[in-house]
Amino acid sequence: MRILVVNVNTTQSITDSIGVQAAGAASRGTEIVPLTPSFGAESVEGNYESYLAAVAVMETVRAYREPFDAVIQAGYGEHGREGLQELLDVPVVDITEAAASTAQFLGRTYSVVTSLDRTVPLIEERLHAAGLSARCASVRASGLAVLDLERDGKAAVDAIVEQAAQAVETDRAEVICLGCGGMSGLTERVVERTGVPVVDGVSAAVTIAESLVRLGLTTSKVRTYAPPRSKRIVNWPPRAG
Amino acid sequence: MRILVVNVNTTQSITDSIGVQAAGAASRGTEIVPLTPSFGAESVEGNYESYLAAVAVMETVRAYREPFDAVIQAGYGEHGREGLQELLDVPVVDITEAAASTAQFLGRTYSVVTSLDRTVPLIEERLHAAGLSARCASVRASGLAVLDLERDGKAAVDAIVEQAAQAVETDRAEVICLGCGGMSGLTERVVERTGVPVVDGVSAAVTIAESLVRLGLTTSKVRTYAPPRSKRIVNWPPRAG
Amino acid sequence: MRILVVNVNTTQSITDSIGVQAAGAASRGTEIVPLTPSFGAESVEGNYESYLAAVAVMETVRAYREPFDAVIQAGYGEHGREGLQELLDVPVVDITEAAASTAQFLGRTYSVVTSLDRTVPLIEERLHAAGLSARCASVRASGLAVLDLERDGKAAVDAIVEQAAQAVETDRAEVICLGCGGMSGLTERVVERTGVPVVDGVSAAVTIAESLVRLGLTTSKVRTYAPPRSKRIVNWPPRAG
Amino acid sequence: MRILVVNVNTTQSITDSIGVQAAGAASRGTEIVPLTPSFGAESVEGNYESYLAAVAVMETVRAYREPFDAVIQAGYGEHGREGLQELLDVPVVDITEAAASTAQFLGRTYSVVTSLDRTVPLIEERLHAAGLSARCASVRASGLAVLDLERDGKAAVDAIVEQAAQAVETDRAEVICLGCGGMSGLTERVVERTGVPVVDGVSAAVTIAESLVRLGLTTSKVRTYAPPRSKRIVNWPPRAG
Amino acid sequence: MRILVVNVNTTQSITDSIGVQAAGAASRGTEIVPLTPSFGAESVEGNYESYLAAVAVMETVRAYREPFDAVIQAGYGEHGREGLQELLDVPVVDITEAAASTAQFLGRTYSVVTSLDRTVPLIEERLHAAGLSARCASVRASGLAVLDLERDGKAAVDAIVEQAAQAVETDRAEVICLGCGGMSGLTERVVERTGVPVVDGVSAAVTIAESLVRLGLTTSKVRTYAPPRSKRIVNWPPRAG
Amino acid sequence: MRILVVNVNTTQSITDSIGVQAAGAASRGTEIVPLTPSFGAESVEGNYESYLAAVAVMETVRAYREPFDAVIQAGYGEHGREGLQELLDVPVVDITEAAASTAQFLGRTYSVVTSLDRTVPLIEERLHAAGLSARCASVRASGLAVLDLERDGKAAVDAIVEQAAQAVETDRAEVICLGCGGMSGLTERVVERTGVPVVDGVSAAVTIAESLVRLGLTTSKVRTYAPPRSKRIVNWPPRAG
C-alpha cells in the first residue's frame, strides 16, 4: 500500500520530518511518500497561507503520476481536505482530524496545543467541520511560530509543555493532541509532565489511512465529495516556477 | 467611495450581471468596480473549484492597483473571505453572509435557495463560519447548475420558485435568500409566489459595505484576521496566462 | 426617508443623545425623529422595566401620526422588538442586534460591554432571539448604572474601557459592541485601549434601517410577525398622564 | 397556602376554567385565587398581545392586597415570567414551563400542541428561555384560535387530537403537553388516541408551586431576578378604566 | 401513597439518612420506604460502581413485594434511571434530575456541588440525558469522597460551602443543587454563605414523585421506556449472598 | 497482539459471527478472542438489558485470566464502555463509536441503521457520549429484532436495505453504519442499493484497536477513567450459575 503524505508548506526539512514520523507509524508493507508542494508559503500560519496551501496540496496530488492508496494532508488546521476528497476516490485523512478522532478513544475530552495564537481559530473551524469539536476542551497556543520550532527547540518545547499542562489542569483535557510537527522528544516530554496520553497527528493519520484501505473503504461520492463537474478551468494549474 | 465586487468564477457575463445588480443597489457617489479573476473555473460548484476561487479572488484583489474602500466577494457559499480579511484593512463582505444577515432583520427564520444540491453543504458551512446559521430554516437546491441559469431562464426560475415555496411552507422560512445571481425577474417571481421578502445577496452586500465604510469601521486585526506574517512564499502568484 | 428612533426610557436627555448619535450616522435626506415614551422608567435595567418599555415603545410608535419608513428601538437588551414587527410593515431594527450583526462583519467574535451586571442576561437572551449569539465571546458589565453614565462620565468611561480590554484579552473578542449610549468620546477611548473596532448600536441601526428601506425590504408577515388578529382589547392604551 | 393563578387574557370565562382546573389539582389546604387582568386582549395570540399581557399580569399581581405564597402565570408561551420574578420573592411558575418540566419525567421527549401556528415561535422561545427545549420534539398548532376552543368544542378537540397523534408518530414525542386551556375532556381524548401521557400545564403548575412552597424555596435574588432598583417610573400603572 | 426511595450504595447509614430526608419532605399520607441494594459498592464514585448500582437498584425494586406508587433513585449522577422506567409503569424520579428541574424554577442558572472530581462527568451526562443541562452553570467538586462526608463533617462542609460560593461568584449560578446527601446543616450553611436558594435532591424528588402520582401521570410506554421484550435471561438475578 | 471481542448478549452463535467478522478484519499477528458473557439476555434491545450487559461485559473481562492488549465491546448502542475504561489501561473500543468515527472520514454525514425502533435512543445517546453526534444524519430502525436477523435473513436484509436507502435519499447521509451484526452479505447489498460506503462496526473497531496498540496509546487515567477507588463491594461478582 502506498500513502502520499503531503506537507502544507514548502519547507523541505519539515516534509522530511513528517516523512520520518509517518514511516515510523506505518505497517510493514506500507510505502510512505512524503511530498512538498511546488508553490506556497514556507510555513502556514493564517488563512491566506492556508487557502494557498489548500490548492497547492491539491495540485501536488494531481501532479503525482504513480498509483496510490490514500492521501494524508499533513498540516494542522488547514483548509482543503474537502477539495481533495472531491478529486479522489481513495481515502483522504487530515492530521488535525486524525489526532482528534484518535484522542476521543482514549479520554472523555482532549485539547490541542499548537504554535501561534492566530492558528487557533483555524483549528477550531477544522474540528467543527469534521464533527469532532464536541469533546474538544480547548485549543491552546504556545506563542511560538512553526519555524521557531525548527530553530530553538528548547524554548519551543518548554512553551508547548506548559500549555499542555494548563489544558489538563484548567480545561480538564484528558488527552493532548500536538498540533505542531517536526520535533523529536516532544511527545515524551508532554506525557512526563501531564500524565495523559499524547497523540501525534501524523502517526494517527497513517494508522487511520491504512485501516480504511484495509477495510476497502473509499470516499463517499453521493453529494459533498462528488467529483468536480466537467467544465472549463482557465489558466490553471500554474506552470511550475 | 469605491467598492470592488469580485466574481468567484471566470465567466465575464456573470461578472457583468453582478456589476449591474451592485450598481443598482449603490448610493450616489459609490463607484462599483466589478472584477473577474484571471484564473479558475467558469462556474463554482464544489470544494475544488471553490478553493481555487478563494485564491483567485485574493490574487485579483492584490493585483488591483487603485485605492478602494471595501471588497465584496460575490459567490454563494464559497471559501476565502477570511483570507481577504487578513490581506486588507478595509471591510470585506461575502454575499452569502450579507444576505443572511439582512434576512434576519426581516423575519424570525430564513432559507437559502441555491442551484445544485452539492453546493448546499458549502453554504451551510459558510453560514456557520459567519455565526449566522441559528435562524437558517433550510438551504434548498433547485437542481440546476449556475450556467443553466444563464442558458434556460424559464426552467431555472420555475425550479427556484418551487423550492422557495417549499422553504416557506414546509421549513417555515419567513424570508428567502436567493443563492444564485444573474437573473432579472427572479426576485419578483419568488415574492409573488411566496409572499415573503426576498433578499438578493449582491444588493445586500453593497449596502452593508457602504454602511461599514460610512461608519469608519475596518476589519479587526487582533487575531484571526491579523496580516500574514512576513515570510518567503514560493512560486506565487502564478504569472498571468 | 424618515426613521423613528425610540428611546426605551423616559429620560429626555438620553433621547436627545440618541438623536444626535443617530443623526450623525444618517445619510443626507434621512430625517431622524427621536421619541421618548410617555410612560415607563427613567432608565431600564431589568425585566420589569424592560417589559414596561416594550409596551411603552409600541404605544409611542402607534401614537405617532406622520408617515415613517423605519423604526429603531434604541435600548440595549430590551424586550419588545417582535411586537413592533407585528404592528408595522416597515423595518424594525433593535440596536442590540444591529451592533452584533455589524460586528460580525469585522471580526470572528465580538463582546458586548454594558452597564449593570443584571442586564447581562437580558442582552444574552436578545442576542439569542436574533440568532446572533454564536459568535458572541462574552457580555460584560462595568457595574455602573445607566444614569451614572450621565452623572460621572470619567469613572464610567474607565470602568467600561477596562471591561472592553478584558473582553479582548481574556474572552478573545475581536470587536466590541458598546451596550450603553449617550457618552461622547467613549468609542475613541475603547479603540485606543484595545485596538479593535468598536461598534455603536445606534449608528449601526441607522445604516441598517436605511439599507433595508433603500432595498425596498419590509418585515415578513407570514407567521411570527403577522399583524395582530382583530379582537377586543380592554382598557388599553392608557390615557396619557 | 394561597396561590394566585393569573390568566393572561381578559376573558373571565377562561379565568374561571383555569380556576377550576387549578383547584382540581390543588392539595387540601391550598387556596387557589384566579385573577383576570384589568387590561389587555380577550385572547393572547402573538407578540403584541403577549407583551401587553406580561405587564398586565404584573400589575394584577402588584394590585393584589392579601398575602400569598406563589404565583402561577396561566398562559401558554407568553412573555413576562421573568418580570414577576423580579417583583416577588415567592415562587413564580409559568404553565408552559411547568408542563414541559413535568413531561420530561415521563418520557424521553415531549411535544406541545397549541392553538394557532403564530404562537408556535412564542412557545419555542419560552421553552428555550427556561432551559427546557433540548427534549422538545416539536411544537404543533391545530390552527384553531383560543376563542374557537370556547365556541366550537368538537372541531377544536378533533384538530388538537390529530396534531397530538402526529407528534407521537412523526416527531417521536413520548409525552404531550396541551398548550391550550379550558376544555374538559381534551386530555382523555388525547390519551385515548395516542397512548402517551398528557400533561395539563395548569395542573402541573399547581403541584410545582405547592412543592416549592412546602420545601421553603424562593426565587433567587442574586442577579437576574434581583428586585427592580429604586427609580422614578412615569405615568404608570395606568388608572383603572 | 407509597414511594420507594432506593439508595445506590450498600451503606445502610446512608440509606437511613436518605430516608429521614425523604420523610421530612413527604406529605402526610405518603409512606417513604428506604431500600438498600443487596449487592454493590459501599459508595458510588465512578462508572464501574455506577453501572453496578444501576442493576442493583433495578433488582432491589424488582424484589420488592408490596405495591408502590413511585420510585426515587437516590444517587447523584448515577446510571440506571432509564432501565427502571422500562420495568415500571409508576413514575421514576432520579434525584439529580429532580434537583436540577426544581432549581430551574428559582433562578436562571444553577450549579451542582458534589464530592469527588471524578463524578463530575457522570453528573454532566445525567443532566444532559434528562434535557436539563442548558441552564447548568457548572458542576463543581469539593474533592472529598462520599464516605468522608460521613466521617469528617466539618472539613467536608467547609469544602462544599467554598465550591458553592465559587459557583455563584465565578460561574454565575443563581441556585445551588447539593449533589451529596446525608449531612444535616449543609443546606443552611450554603444558603448563609451564598445567599442563593439551595435545593436538596431527595426532598425535591419526593415532591415531584408525589405530584406525578396525584396528577395520575405514569411513564410513557411508546418507545424508549417500553417494557423489556419477553426473552431468555441467563443466570440472572444473582442469588442473594 | 491479543484483542478481546466481547459480545453483549449471551447467544453463542452471535459471538461466533462477531468473532469471524473480527478475525476477517484483523492484521496478521493479531489474535481475536471472542467472549460471551456468563449472564444476561439472549439479545439486548433496551435499557434494562443494556445495563445488565454493561456489568456482564465488565465481569467477563475481569474474569479473563490471560494478558491482552485491547478490548472491543461488540454491541450497538449499549451502556458500559466507560466502566471498562476505568477497569483497564489498555484501549477499549465500542463498535458503535468505531463505526461512526470511521464513517466521518468517508463522508460529511452518516446514518446508522439498526434493528428495533426502541434501540434508536440508546444509539443516539451513545454517539452523543462519544462526541460523535454532530455529523449523524439519522439513526433509523428496520423494525426487526436482533434474533429475527438470525432467523429470517431475507426479510431482515430487505428491511435494512430499505432504511439505508431512505437515510441517503431523505436524511442526506453520505455513509451508512450498520448497527446490527451477524449477517453475511448485508454490507454488499446496502452498497449496491445506495452507492455509499458502508461501515461495519466490528471490523472498524478491530482496526482502531490495533492502531491504538501499535501507537502505544492507552486510556487516560487522570479523571473520568481513573481506576475505581479501593472500597468494599458486597455480594459481587455473582457466583457463576
Side-chain angles (χ1 to χ4, degrees), chain E residues 33-219:
Chain E
V33 179
L35 296 173
T36 305
S38 64
F39 61 94
E42 62 183 332
S43 65
V44 178
E45 295 161 327
N47 277 287
Y48 171 66
E49 294 157 11
S50 182
Y51 277 121
L52 192 44
V55 296
V57 166
M58 285 188 258
E59 294 312 320
T60 300
V61 171
R62 279 157 61 98
Y64 187 78
R65 289 288 157 241
E66 304 298 316
F68 54 89
D69 299 287
V71 173
I72 291 170
Q73 176 161 335
Y76 231 87
E78 307 316 344
H79 294 290
R81 185 259 297 156
E82 302 91 334
L84 275 173
Q85 285 178 300
E86 283 180 12
L87 297 173
L88 303 173
D89 287 341
V90 300
V92 176
V93 180
D94 176 279
I95 65 170
T96 322
E97 303 170 15
S101 179
T102 298
Q104 292 191 160
F105 285 104
L106 305 172
R108 185 169 175 259
T109 56
Y110 69 90
S111 283
V112 179
V113 182
T114 186
S115 51
L116 292 181
D117 184 53
R118 68 179 297 160
T119 66
V120 170
L122 280 152
I123 293 172
E124 290 174 352
E125 291 295 327
R126 178 56 39 201
L127 294 172
H128 166 81
L132 294 166
S133 54
R135 293 297 180 187
C136 180
S138 59
V139 182
R140 282 179 167 266
S142 70
L144 291 170
V146 171
L147 298 182
D148 292 340
L149 300 182
E150 296 284 290
R151 287 175 205 133
D152 180 357
K154 174 81 175 69
V157 168
D158 287 354
I160 284 166
V161 167
E162 178 56 26
Q163 290 302 315
Q166 290 191 24
V168 173
E169 285 150 28
T170 305
D171 309 331
R172 303 274 187 206
E174 302 187 0
V175 184
I176 296 294
C177 296
L178 286 179
C180 42
M183 298 199 62
S184 57
L186 192 47
T187 298
E188 288 73 17
R189 283 288 308 283
V190 176
V191 170
E192 231 168 68
R193 173 76 161 81
T194 63
V196 307
V198 174
V199 179
D200 169 73
V202 172
S203 305
V206 169
T207 64
I208 289 167
E210 285 185 345
S211 296
L212 297 174
V213 173
R214 270 168 47 201
L215 295 172
L217 293 167
T218 55
T219 299

Side-chain angles (χ1 to χ4, degrees), chain A residues 89-105:
Chain A
D89 286 342
V90 301
V92 176
V93 180
D94 176 278
I95 65 170
T96 323
E97 303 169 15
S101 180
T102 299
Q104 293 191 159
F105 285 104

Side-chain angles (χ1 to χ4, degrees), chain A residues 7-12 14 39-45 49 146-147 151, chain B residues 229-234:
Chain A
N7 186 7
V8 295
N9 62 46
T10 51
T11 299
Q12 184 62 37
I14 293 184
F39 61 93
E42 63 183 331
S43 66
V44 179
E45 295 160 327
E49 294 158 11
V146 171
L147 297 183
R151 288 175 204 131
Chain B
R229 305 176 84 220
S230 172
K231 66 183 60 167
R232 207 161 60 94
I233 295 187
V234 179

